[in-house]
Amino acid sequence: MKLTPPTIKDIADRANVSISTVSRALNNKSVVRQDTRTAVLEAAKLLGYEVNVFARGLAGGQSMTIGVVSREIGCTLYDTVMQGVIRGFAGTGYSPIFIEGQSGEDFGGEMIQKLISRRVDGIMTLGGDDTFPENLLNHLPEELPAIVIGKSVKGWEKRCVVTDNFGASYQATQLLIENGHRDIAIIRGDMHIQDAISRYDGYCKALEDANLKVLPDLIQNGDFLAHSGLMGIHALLARGKPFTAVVCGNDQMAIGAKLALQRRGIRVPEDVSLIGFDDEPLSAYVSPPLTTLRQSGVEMGRIAAKGLIDLISAGSCELPLLACELVERESVAKLRST
Amino acid sequence: MKLTPPTIKDIADRANVSISTVSRALNNKSVVRQDTRTAVLEAAKLLGYEVNVFARGLAGGQSMTIGVVSREIGCTLYDTVMQGVIRGFAGTGYSPIFIEGQSGEDFGGEMIQKLISRRVDGIMTLGGDDTFPENLLNHLPEELPAIVIGKSVKGWEKRCVVTDNFGASYQATQLLIENGHRDIAIIRGDMHIQDAISRYDGYCKALEDANLKVLPDLIQNGDFLAHSGLMGIHALLARGKPFTAVVCGNDQMAIGAKLALQRRGIRVPEDVSLIGFDDEPLSAYVSPPLTTLRQSGVEMGRIAAKGLIDLISAGSCELPLLACELVERESVAKLRST
DNA sequence: GCAGAAAATGAAAACGCTTGCATCATTTTG
DNA sequence: CAAAATGATGCAAGCGTTTTCATTTTCTGC
């Protein structure tokens, strides 16, 4: 590797133009004549020129850096979203940097400072709870392009990449209802998290639309981890209120629930149907294979990245509402007539 | 947010010193008098100063950026390693940027250029296959600090963060042997990947040390995905050579294998014992719960981050060989005397 | 109390790029 | 055909740091 990479000065010499022209040609400003531009571009290519991000950033140009800020990660979905983000930015010149806020962190403070310090060209937020990402967004300079992933934030609807959790959950619950189930329990995810809330709402709506009651005895809280699914079943059972199906906040909890049921001698799906969310890699390989609603984290990340780039360059972006795909496997069965 | 963040000039004015002194004080150079330093630091704090990474980078200082380059990710373990890396750098001032090389990418070219362009202070590589990360490392400037995660690279032993896959696999196989098993099959991971190779080697060594033969008929290739575990069992069974235990390259394949076995009416662990790797979140919640060797990706990432920082600041680092922890659950049983 | 050494500080030159303004070349217009 | 408008290019001033070198201050030993 060359110790001192070529600079625009080198290009300028080689192409017999001034460095300003080189800069303009490289940045696709319109004021360069076509043949000069190609000459410059050729010289640049020949020299293996790569812009010095720092110099550009300093000079007031773009930093080509995107700040991706999230609350504590640890949820499988957002891991894959990160992947999608990385891929989405690959080859675009932008580099995402990830900032993970510890819970309870002062988002207005340190985090913003870090973003400023790096002069990010845009930011993305990952995930949502009661206060995040609103607390961050509120402190952001108006003109900084931002995309929100995983929560539909008031006033930012056009800039949110979300899966239709409500609709998906509605669909899941409806599937259960169509199969004859009446006593449908739910093990919710962490209700501080937006996804959990939307899914719960979808469950309620589906029930109501079918003239079924939402019974507190059939509602159990979890935290998206398998263990809470398992404990959830025990809690549900302990209440004595019978149920024949359970909507689970995600696959992990569904699998925990499944285990708890099976250990108690309750068969899935013969006695109790189960449905999850996310379609994790393993969900197809448990017994019975889990019926679930698939959403692609990678896709979310990709879309968000593309959206943010559009936002930066064009000032606007088009973001589709991502639908979940129902993956019917074997954990849901028709209610046996008793 | 202030539109123009404070600069060292502002601090200098406020503390009645020159900007050079401010710079020195901020960077902990020894040549500043103690009281001047505190004065500067106070002023900086008061103004909410945050260094402009670009200016620093340009001026030849540090970029405070770490390049994390990997082959295609998609393996759950490396997702969590990424998390560990992010956390490991949190609060240190360094920001990792992730670069994912598509397979077949010319590592000597574009990728290096990007790293240079960003003037990274150090790099980390994630994962390993036949040629990666050697192909990258060879093109690196000598003086660039680098840490390798997931492969023990020749000549870089001191800079590799690896789990003892060989030892872990040896231990796994040994556990099976201790339980009386003689006919032990293996479903290997993708043999282009270092982890798969080491695990296979450990399996062979354990067998040999117990005077058992490594039989080609009991060796099956997989790709770390559950489906390949499932197919692996079918292939193994089709060969007709009986076996009573299977070492699987990771938990996903183990769970795929388990399903295949159960579907064929072969009981786990009564008829065939199964052992996996990685201890994925769900591994404890399948039936029977999977015996496995746990390794912590987050821990790997953390350690690597710390190591790299040491390397950058002190010129050397201490990296422990990470041991896997045997998690005994219920997928391994004593061989029934026939 | 002073010479000289050591320590602390300041002035100014990079670092590589963008960009406003001035300049020069090329068209267009009257 | 001259004058004005337009288009393309060059010049030079930053951007906020670090760092070298020179200068000033403080300390040491006599």
Side-chain angles (χ1 to χ4, degrees):
Chain A
M1 161 209 172
K2 295 252 282 308
L3 286 162
T4 47
T7 72
I8 55 170
K9 175 87 172 44
D10 299 324
I11 301 180
D13 291 349
R14 201 153 214 311
N16 270 317
V17 294
S18 73
I19 58 166
S20 352
T21 303
V22 174
S23 172
R24 284 188 276 252
L26 255 26
N27 289 287
N28 275 316
K29 305 273 179 184
S30 49
V31 281
V32 208
R33 218 176 42 211
Q34 193 51 47
D35 52 341
T36 345
R37 182 196 307 284
T38 50
V40 168
L41 259 32
E42 247 170 42
K45 183 154 200 179
L46 198 135
L47 263 36
Y49 172 78
E50 195 77 8
V51 65
N52 180 325
V53 177
F54 294 108
R56 168 180 289 172
L58 222 210
Q62 299 187 32
S63 69
M64 301 310 277
T65 306
I66 304 293
V68 182
V69 359
S70 64
R71 281 169 20 89
E72 286 174 77
I73 15 186
C75 159
T76 340
L77 176 63
Y78 287 110
D79 281 356
T80 61
V81 173
M82 280 178 47
Q83 267 187 49
V85 170
I86 292 176
R87 291 198 191 147
F89 283 118
T92 65
Y94 289 96
S95 299
I97 61 171
F98 294 87
I99 306 180
E100 185 192 17
Q102 305 309 314
S103 56
E105 171 145 359
D106 170 21
F107 281 92
E110 186 188 348
M111 196 160 277
I112 293 266
Q113 285 307 329
K114 184 157 185 181
L115 294 171
I116 295 176
S117 168
R118 295 233 163 225
R119 299 287 191 281
V120 294
D121 288 336
I123 76 157
M124 297 179 31
T125 70
L126 225 60
D129 61 21
D130 348 64
T131 56
F132 184 84
E134 284 86 342
N135 46 3
L136 209 211
L137 295 174
N138 290 337
H139 291 262
L140 242 39
E142 294 265 327
E143 66 282 3
L144 186 63
I147 294 274
V148 176
I149 304 181
K151 184 176 183 181
S152 186
V153 174
K154 248 201 179 125
W156 287 74
E157 287 81 3
K158 294 274 185 191
R159 318 244 157 131
C160 296
V161 176
V162 284
T163 42
D164 181 14
N165 282 306
F166 177 90
S169 183
Y170 186 97
Q171 192 181 355
T173 312
Q174 204 173 34
L175 176 73
L176 264 11
I177 294 170
E178 283 167 2
N179 274 278
H181 296 277
R182 291 285 165 270
D183 307 304
I184 303 174
I186 184 171
I187 299 180
R188 309 191 287 199
D190 180 348
M191 287 295 279
H192 293 294
I193 308 273
Q194 185 57 42
D195 298 357
I197 299 171
S198 305
R199 288 172 192 176
Y200 173 64
D201 291 344
Y203 158 86
C204 293
K205 187 69 165 53
L207 248 38
E208 282 161 16
D209 284 0
N211 283 318
L212 261 22
K213 279 237 176 74
V214 176
L215 300 174
D217 268 359
L218 292 185
I219 297 170
Q220 174 61 29
N221 286 331
D223 62 4
F224 286 128
L225 263 27
H227 186 70
S228 73
L230 187 144
M231 298 306 289
I233 287 296
H234 290 320
L236 245 21
L237 254 21
R239 294 199 194 129
K241 173 80 190 147
F243 54 91
T244 63
V246 186
V247 175
C248 299
N250 70 351
D251 281 3
Q252 295 225 16
M253 292 197 297
I255 287 171
K258 185 178 71 62
L259 185 60
L261 288 167
Q262 289 170 336
R263 288 222 175 126
R264 303 270 287 241
I266 301 167
R267 291 166 307 165
V268 179
E270 292 84 351
D271 301 323
V272 169
S273 288
L274 232 40
I275 192 164
F277 275 89
D278 290 353
D279 192 26
E280 296 209 8
L282 286 177
S283 299
Y285 295 90
V286 294
S287 1
L290 199 62
T291 292
T292 186
L293 282 126
R294 175 185 301 160
Q295 61 174 325
S296 165
V298 173
E299 202 51 28
M300 289 179 78
R302 270 222 167 86
I303 287 176
K306 184 175 175 320
L308 188 48
I309 292 174
D310 287 349
L311 204 54
I312 291 172
S313 55
S316 72
C317 65
E318 200 78 16
L319 298 174
L321 177 66
L322 291 166
C324 287
E325 180 191 352
L326 176 64
V327 182
E328 293 203 55
R329 291 201 270 250
E330 302 166 26
S331 66
V332 171
K334 276 217 156 14
L335 183 67
R336 294 177 309 160
S337 44
T338 33
Chain B
M1 165 204 168
K2 296 251 281 312
L3 286 161
T4 48
T7 71
I8 56 171
K9 176 86 173 47
D10 300 323
I11 301 179
D13 291 349
R14 200 154 215 309
N16 270 316
V17 293
S18 72
I19 59 166
S20 345
T21 303
V22 174
S23 172
R24 283 187 278 250
L26 255 27
N27 289 286
N28 276 315
K29 304 273 180 185
S30 49
V31 283
V32 208
R33 220 175 41 209
Q34 193 51 47
D35 52 340
T36 345
R37 180 195 307 285
T38 49
V40 169
L41 259 32
E42 249 171 40
K45 183 153 200 178
L46 199 135
L47 262 39
Y49 171 78
E50 195 80 8
V51 66
N52 180 325
V53 177
F54 294 107
R56 168 178 290 173
L58 221 211
Q62 300 187 33
S63 68
M64 301 310 278
T65 306
I66 304 293
V68 182
V69 2
S70 63
R71 278 167 25 86
E72 286 172 80
I73 15 186
C75 159
T76 340
L77 175 64
Y78 287 109
D79 282 357
T80 62
V81 173
M82 279 178 48
Q83 268 188 47
V85 170
I86 293 175
R87 292 200 190 145
F89 282 117
T92 65
Y94 289 96
S95 299
I97 62 171
F98 294 87
I99 305 178
E100 187 191 16
Q102 305 309 315
S103 57
E105 170 145 0
D106 171 20
F107 281 91
E110 185 188 348
M111 193 159 280
I112 291 266
Q113 286 307 328
K114 185 156 185 185
L115 294 171
I116 294 176
S117 168
R118 296 234 162 222
R119 299 289 190 280
V120 294
D121 289 336
I123 76 157
M124 295 179 30
T125 70
L126 226 59
D129 61 21
D130 350 65
T131 57
F132 183 83
E134 283 86 342
N135 46 2
L136 209 214
L137 294 175
N138 289 339
H139 292 262
L140 243 39
E142 295 264 327
E143 65 284 3
L144 187 62
I147 294 274
V148 176
I149 303 182
K151 183 176 183 182
S152 186
V153 174
K154 252 210 175 109
W156 288 73
E157 288 81 2
K158 295 275 185 190
R159 319 245 155 130
C160 295
V161 176
V162 284
T163 43
D164 181 14
N165 281 306
F166 177 89
S169 183
Y170 187 97
Q171 192 181 357
T173 312
Q174 206 174 33
L175 176 73
L176 263 14
I177 295 171
E178 283 166 2
N179 275 278
H181 296 277
R182 292 285 165 271
D183 306 304
I184 304 174
I186 185 170
I187 300 179
R188 310 189 288 198
D190 180 348
M191 288 295 278
H192 293 294
I193 309 272
Q194 186 56 43
D195 298 357
I197 299 172
S198 305
R199 287 172 192 176
Y200 173 63
D201 290 344
Y203 158 86
C204 292
K205 187 67 165 51
L207 248 38
E208 283 160 16
D209 284 359
N211 284 317
L212 261 24
K213 279 236 176 77
V214 176
L215 300 175
D217 269 358
L218 293 185
I219 298 171
Q220 175 60 30
N221 286 331
D223 63 3
F224 285 127
L225 262 30
H227 185 70
S228 73
L230 188 143
M231 297 308 288
I233 288 295
H234 291 320
L236 247 18
L237 254 21
R239 295 202 195 127
K241 173 80 189 148
F243 54 90
T244 63
V246 186
V247 174
C248 298
N250 70 352
D251 281 1
Q252 294 225 16
M253 292 197 297
I255 288 171
K258 185 177 71 65
L259 185 60
L261 288 167
Q262 290 168 337
R263 288 219 175 127
R264 303 272 286 242
I266 301 169
R267 291 165 305 165
V268 178
E270 293 83 351
D271 301 324
V272 169
S273 288
L274 233 40
I275 192 163
F277 275 89
D278 291 353
D279 191 25
E280 295 208 9
L282 285 178
S283 299
Y285 295 90
V286 294
S287 356
L290 199 62
T291 292
T292 186
L293 282 127
R294 173 186 300 159
Q295 61 174 325
S296 165
V298 173
E299 201 52 27
M300 287 179 80
R302 271 222 166 89
I303 287 176
K306 183 174 175 322
L308 189 48
I309 293 175
D310 288 348
L311 204 53
I312 292 171
S313 55
S316 72
C317 66
E318 201 77 16
L319 297 174
L321 176 66
L322 292 164
C324 287
E325 180 190 354
L326 176 64
V327 183
E328 293 203 54
R329 290 200 272 251
E330 303 166 25
S331 66
V332 171
K334 277 218 159 7
L335 182 68
R336 294 176 310 159
S337 45
T338 34

